[in-house]
């Protein structure tokens, strides 16, 4: 094990400059920087996302020898939305986020996230702002846009909104991507999400965003528990992602404001976790209470800062833009 940093002094200065560019970008647009806690009593229920947790022994509601489980944020989303429900306007944050996942070339369990919310925006208007930020930081070409349905039809000739598990399994077999665990786990599901997400990541992602950023929008509603359902097609929700040079760089939503729908979606997530033999997660009651109070129509997006810096510096491993990755933390 080495004690030394993996981030060179030259790249550290370049990273600092990019962070300043981000702050200038939002200052020019009158978006206010905020700061929220990294620890929370609730966490995400997403089936494909797990938080890191810790124990706190000094909670006022517990006995001295009893620990309260707290969760490190997977993003600052719920706390920022509580600020919006409290009457804040357009806000952004550059924050540490934590996810209980393997370290890889594009991921470190502790990473830096840029998240922002624009009151009065929908997901299309927010995509245009993400585009402006990417061009400003990366000097890249103008992005291209595809709906989730259109990109599936273009790359694998399947309509993801009107297909069967057998058709998806047959496609994977034809592409040499089928495995026993996929067959077994997909049979536990009451939808096609596992297979669709696997096809998207393994077959579609390598083909998009190669020369310019690519936005994919209007994901299946079952893959967007925090987004509004589209008024044009109830099968999809108003969520988008952005990909560039093999990297998923941003994930955004036209935010769901209906508290009953949100509670129901969290409960459905936990039901699905149980079906898949995963631990259920505590629903963030403070976030639900904030939605009950009232939440403005807005769109929000989370963007991976470390990945953005990787693209800007032209490096291939996230460790090259971090002072100390988890292996040296």
């Amino acid at each position: 094990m080495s004690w030394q940093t993996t981030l060179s002094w030259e790249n550290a200065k370049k990273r600092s400059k990019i962070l300043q560019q981000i702050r200038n970008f939002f200052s020019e647009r009158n978006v206010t920087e905020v700061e929220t806690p990294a620890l929370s009593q609730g966490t995400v229920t997403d089936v494909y996302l797990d938080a890191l947790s810790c124990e706190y022994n000094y909670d006022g509601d517990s006995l001295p020898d009893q620990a309260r489980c707290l969760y490190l944020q997977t993003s600052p989303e719920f706390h920022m939305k509580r600020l919006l429900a409290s009457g804040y306007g357009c806000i952004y944050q550059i924050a540490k986020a934590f996810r209980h996942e393997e370290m890889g070339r594009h991921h470190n369990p502790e990473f830096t996230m840029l998240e922002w919310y624009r009151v009065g925006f929908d997901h299309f208007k927010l995509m245009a702002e993400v585009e402006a930020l990417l061009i400003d930081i990366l000097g890249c070409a103008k992005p291209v846009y595809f709906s989730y349905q259109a990109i599936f039809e273009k790359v694998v000739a399947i309509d993801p909104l009107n297909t069967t598990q057998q058709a998806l399994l047959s496609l994977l077999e034809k592409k040499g991507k089928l495995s026993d665990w996929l067959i077994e786990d997909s049979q536990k599901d009451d939808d096609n999400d596992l297979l669709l997400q696997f096809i998207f990541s393994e077959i579609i992602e390598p083909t998009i965003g190669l020369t310019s950023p690519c936005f994919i929008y209007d994901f299946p509603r079952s893959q967007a528990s925090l987004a509004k359902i589209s008024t044009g097609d109830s099968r999809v929700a108003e969520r988008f992602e952005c990909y560039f040079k093999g990297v998923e760089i941003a994930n955004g939503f036209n935010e769901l404001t209906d508290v009953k729908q949100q509670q129901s979606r969290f409960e459905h997530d936990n039901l699905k976790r149980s079906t898949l033999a995963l631990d259920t997660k505590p629903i963030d009651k403070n976030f639900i209470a904030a939605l009950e109070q009232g939440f403005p129509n807005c769109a929000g997006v989370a963007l991976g800062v470390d990945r953005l810096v990787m693209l800007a510096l032209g490096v291939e491993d996230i460790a090259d833009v971090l002072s100390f990755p988890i292996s040296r933390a």
Side-chain angles (χ1 to χ4, degrees):
M1 180 181 293
S2 175
W3 59 267
Q4 292 178 309
T5 179
T6 53
L7 177 64
S8 71
W9 177 232
E10 285 304 311
N11 282 349
K13 289 187 286 185
K14 291 176 182 177
R15 180 183 174 108
S16 176
K17 184 178 179 181
I18 290 168
L19 290 172
Q20 189 57 55
Q21 281 181 272
I22 291 171
R23 289 189 163 95
N24 290 342
F25 180 89
F26 289 110
S27 178
E28 290 168 1
R29 288 162 173 76
N30 198 31
V31 181
T32 301
E33 184 171 10
V34 296
E35 185 176 74
T36 57
L39 289 170
S40 178
Q41 297 171 46
T43 187
V44 291
T45 55
D46 190 317
V47 174
Y48 304 104
L49 196 59
D50 276 316
L52 290 162
S53 62
C54 65
E55 292 185 345
Y56 178 62
N57 293 80
Y58 300 96
D59 190 278
D61 295 329
S62 62
L63 296 173
D65 60 344
Q66 291 180 329
R68 164 72 68 91
C69 181
L70 296 176
Y71 297 88
L72 287 162
Q73 63 184 3
T74 57
S75 89
E77 179 172 7
F78 292 171
H79 282 120
M80 292 183 76
K81 286 181 175 178
R82 286 165 60 187
L83 294 181
L84 292 168
S86 299
Y88 281 45
C90 298
I91 54 176
Y92 81 96
Q93 182 170 185
I94 299 172
K96 287 293 186 182
F98 307 84
R99 296 186 181 180
H100 198 190
E101 300 169 354
E102 275 187 271
M103 182 179 179
R105 193 160 61 88
H106 295 150
H107 178 70
N108 190 63
E110 177 183 352
F111 59 99
T112 302
M113 178 176 283
L114 165 64
E115 188 149 335
W116 76 95
Y117 292 86
R118 294 294 247 137
V119 176
F121 277 32
D122 63 11
H123 60 313
F124 288 108
K125 196 168 183 180
L126 187 56
M127 278 190 276
E129 188 162 72
V130 176
E131 172 183 320
L133 177 66
L134 295 179
I135 291 173
D136 186 45
I137 301 295
L138 302 177
C140 57
K142 187 175 176 62
V144 295
Y145 293 77
F146 293 95
S147 72
Y148 186 91
Q149 183 180 35
I151 200 65
F152 263 81
E153 291 173 338
K154 180 177 186 291
V155 178
V156 296
I158 279 182
D159 180 353
L161 307 178
N162 185 28
T163 189
T164 64
Q165 284 197 358
Q166 188 52 54
L168 298 175
L169 290 169
S170 296
L171 170 67
L172 288 166
E173 185 174 25
K174 181 179 177 182
K175 297 287 186 180
K177 299 283 187 179
L178 191 58
S179 57
D180 290 341
W181 75 267
L182 266 176
I183 297 171
E184 292 169 8
D185 285 2
S186 65
Q187 289 173 345
K188 299 175 186 175
D189 262 343
D190 59 355
D191 53 45
N192 294 331
D193 280 342
L194 174 64
L195 297 177
L196 288 174
Q197 291 195 43
F198 188 82
I199 290 167
F200 191 90
S201 63
E202 292 294 316
I203 300 172
I204 295 176
E205 273 190 42
T207 72
I208 61 177
L210 302 180
T211 57
S212 62
C214 178
F215 284 89
I216 307 296
Y217 61 90
D218 286 356
F219 280 68
R221 60 185 294 166
S222 55
Q223 294 182 30
S225 68
L226 293 156
K228 286 182 177 177
I229 302 303
S230 170
T231 55
D233 186 344
S234 62
R235 298 174 300 174
V236 303
E238 296 178 339
R239 171 192 173 194
F240 68 86
E241 290 193 348
C242 182
Y243 300 85
F244 190 31
K245 295 184 178 179
V247 178
E248 177 197 338
I249 195 168
N251 184 24
F253 306 91
N254 192 9
E255 301 293 348
L256 181 63
T257 57
D258 186 305
V259 65
K260 289 183 179 179
Q261 278 193 48
Q262 188 63 81
Q263 178 77 31
S264 175
R265 291 193 200 179
F266 285 158
E267 289 170 356
H268 181 266
D269 283 348
N270 269 332
L271 183 60
K272 192 170 182 180
R273 293 184 73 91
S274 293
T275 301
L276 295 173
L278 300 172
D279 291 338
T280 58
K281 300 297 180 181
I283 293 171
D284 192 319
K285 295 178 181 178
N286 286 323
F287 174 51
I288 293 297
L291 289 183
E292 287 175 339
Q293 172 69 26
F295 184 69
N297 287 316
C298 65
V301 61
L303 186 149
V305 172
D306 307 313
R307 293 179 177 183
L308 182 67
V309 176
M310 284 178 66
L311 291 168
L313 272 54
V315 301
E316 297 295 325
D317 196 308
I318 197 169
D320 293 330
V321 299
L322 302 175
S323 56
F324 302 102
I326 194 68
S327 59
R328 300 192 184 193

